Amino acid sequence: MANNYFRCDLSAVHETNAGGRIHSVRINDEMPNGVFVVIGGYETGSTEIKTVIAPKATDKEIAIIQKPEINYDERFKADQAIGIFRNEANSVVPAVILSNHDGIDLSQDYFGATVPKVGEIYTIKENLVAGTQLEKKTNLPTSGVALRVIGVKPSCIANFVVDKNSRMPKPYNMVQLEVVIIG
């Protein structure tokens, strides 16, 4: 996972734009933003921090881990590394509940070796590991949450010359997804 980029943008998620429900959840393992979860019950003795559970194929209320990666303090080079950011193990992070027709952008790394194409359907596997969570399907499932690819675009245009053989930032594909809740 350390060699993968894993960038997640919540481009059109209702709960982030309308004063919606953003939950505080504890993650046990280090993970990047963009991991799909089911929000469990409250931790023992807490009224604010909830647990996370790996989603099942038939779950209809799915959340996504999304902690802001941008730090406006320019003193540290590490703060400029969007996508390399990881949420630390045993930390509390925000999780956003997804609604039908929400828009999410995920970098190519979330799809493993698969190269997504517009119109394809993906479902969420029962694990909490970025890069292995999404599974390509031929049709929409009869129940649960699916993700429909609605676009694939380059993340950026390399415009800064590092040396004669290297330009930054390195472009990668961002996959635009629509959340489809069935059942």
Side-chain angles (χ1 to χ4, degrees), residues 1 27 29-35 65-69 84-94:
M1 179 165 62
I27 55 173
D29 300 314
E30 177 184 278
M31 68 177 60
N33 286 329
V35 173
I65 300 295
Q66 180 64 17
K67 182 176 181 179
E69 297 181 28
I84 300 171
F85 174 85
R86 299 290 184 266
N87 296 297
E88 294 179 10
N90 199 35
S91 63
V92 177
V93 297

Side-chain angles (χ1 to χ4, degrees), residues 10 13-25 33 37 39 42 47-50 61-68 92-99 102:
L10 301 185
V13 174
H14 175 75
E15 296 295 341
T16 62
N17 296 319
R21 299 179 298 164
I22 298 177
H23 298 270
S24 295
V25 299
N33 286 329
V37 301
I39 297 175
Y42 289 102
T47 59
E48 295 179 11
I49 302 169
K50 296 184 177 183
E61 187 172 85
I62 301 287
I64 190 167
I65 300 295
Q66 180 64 17
K67 182 176 181 179
V92 177
V93 297
V96 180
I97 302 279
L98 298 174
S99 300
D102 278 349

Side-chain angles (χ1 to χ4, degrees), residues 58-173:
T58 56
D59 286 331
K60 293 183 187 101
E61 187 172 85
I62 301 287
I64 190 167
I65 300 295
Q66 180 64 17
K67 182 176 181 179
E69 297 181 28
I70 296 174
N71 182 343
Y72 294 99
D73 185 346
E74 296 180 6
R75 294 178 294 162
F76 303 105
K77 188 161 183 70
D79 291 338
Q80 301 170 13
I82 294 176
I84 300 171
F85 174 85
R86 299 290 184 266
N87 296 297
E88 294 179 10
N90 199 35
S91 63
V92 177
V93 297
V96 180
I97 302 279
L98 298 174
S99 300
N100 204 24
H101 305 295
D102 278 349
I104 304 168
D105 296 353
L106 296 177
S107 61
Q108 174 66 48
D109 287 328
Y110 287 94
F111 296 86
T114 304
V115 178
K117 293 179 180 47
V118 173
E120 291 180 339
I121 303 292
Y122 288 82
T123 57
I124 303 164
K125 290 195 224 174
E126 189 175 351
N127 71 51
L128 296 172
V129 181
T132 66
Q133 253 192 333
L134 300 177
E135 181 175 32
K136 184 177 167 185
K137 297 290 186 179
T138 53
N139 296 311
L140 283 171
T142 56
S143 181
V145 174
L147 302 166
R148 178 182 291 129
V149 179
I150 59 172
V152 179
K153 63 181 181 178
S155 63
C156 61
I157 298 170
N159 59 9
F160 177 73
V161 177
V162 178
D163 61 39
K164 70 177 188 171
N165 296 319
S166 179
R167 296 186 341 165
M168 295 289 287
K170 292 188 186 240
Y172 50 89
N173 281 338

